[in-house]
Amino acid sequence: MTAAVKIAAAPAEAPYILGGEHTSKIVKLIDAAHAAGVTPILWGKPGVGKTAMVDALAQRPGFGGLVRVLTGSQDKSDTLGMPSRDTYTARDGQVHNTTSHATPSWVLEANDAVGTFYVFLDELPQADTDVQGTFLTVLQNYVMPSGVKIKPHVKFIAAGNPTDIVASGYELIEPL
């Protein structure tokens, strides 16, 4: 089961939460990271407003929405897509058994959106290292393991809690 939550479409004005001086600096940094092709990560203790900020960012005018992927509660198949048995026929006619992966619905929803669409990778450091590694590949190549390409209007934002203050989790893998 994929742990994804869809957030409603954008209202006419940006939410009030984005109006503060400190918050507007963070918003500028997030927008600059996306312009540079980098995925930002919001890092902080539980309850400081990371999720609320991302929810508010996705409600700005011209934005197509948000899907929250709870990476910390997923396994590798949630990220890769559910595996299924398949076959491949080589040029010489030999048939081989293979595994293919379905594309998670959040990818199709994000690709289909109009305007910038955020995929929020919540609790990424709390995810198993296999899940983190899979997302590293997705973030680097913008291609899902199923072969579906993620469109350029889709932007990722990650968030995490320091591992020394949470009950479970892993260190963020070094390449991330």
Side-chain angles (χ1 to χ4, degrees), residues 26 38 44 66-67 75 77 88 91 94 138 143 145 150 161:
I26 295 171
V38 176
L66 162 77
V67 65
D75 68 22
S77 67
Y88 173 79
R91 285 182 296 186
Q94 198 170 20
V138 170
V143 176
I150 298 170
N161 305 311

Side-chain angles (χ1 to χ4, degrees), residues 37-127:
V38 176
T39 298
I41 183 166
L42 303 174
W43 197 256
K45 295 178 181 179
V48 298
K50 299 179 297 288
T51 300
M53 175 177 278
V54 175
D55 288 347
L57 286 170
Q59 294 177 38
R60 294 184 287 177
F63 283 72
L66 162 77
V67 65
R68 187 179 303 122
V69 181
L70 300 173
T71 57
S73 62
Q74 291 192 329
D75 68 22
K76 197 171 176 178
S77 67
D78 290 327
T79 308
L80 290 169
M82 193 56 79
S84 62
R85 187 174 173 191
D86 208 347
T87 59
Y88 173 79
T89 304
R91 285 182 296 186
D92 64 3
Q94 198 170 20
V95 177
H96 303 273
N97 291 321
T98 63
T99 301
S100 60
H101 296 275
T103 302
S105 60
W106 62 263
V107 175
L108 302 174
E109 181 182 336
N111 274 349
D112 198 37
V114 175
T116 301
F117 190 94
Y118 287 130
V119 176
F120 182 37
L121 305 177
D122 201 4
E123 300 177 8
L124 187 59
Q126 284 66 51

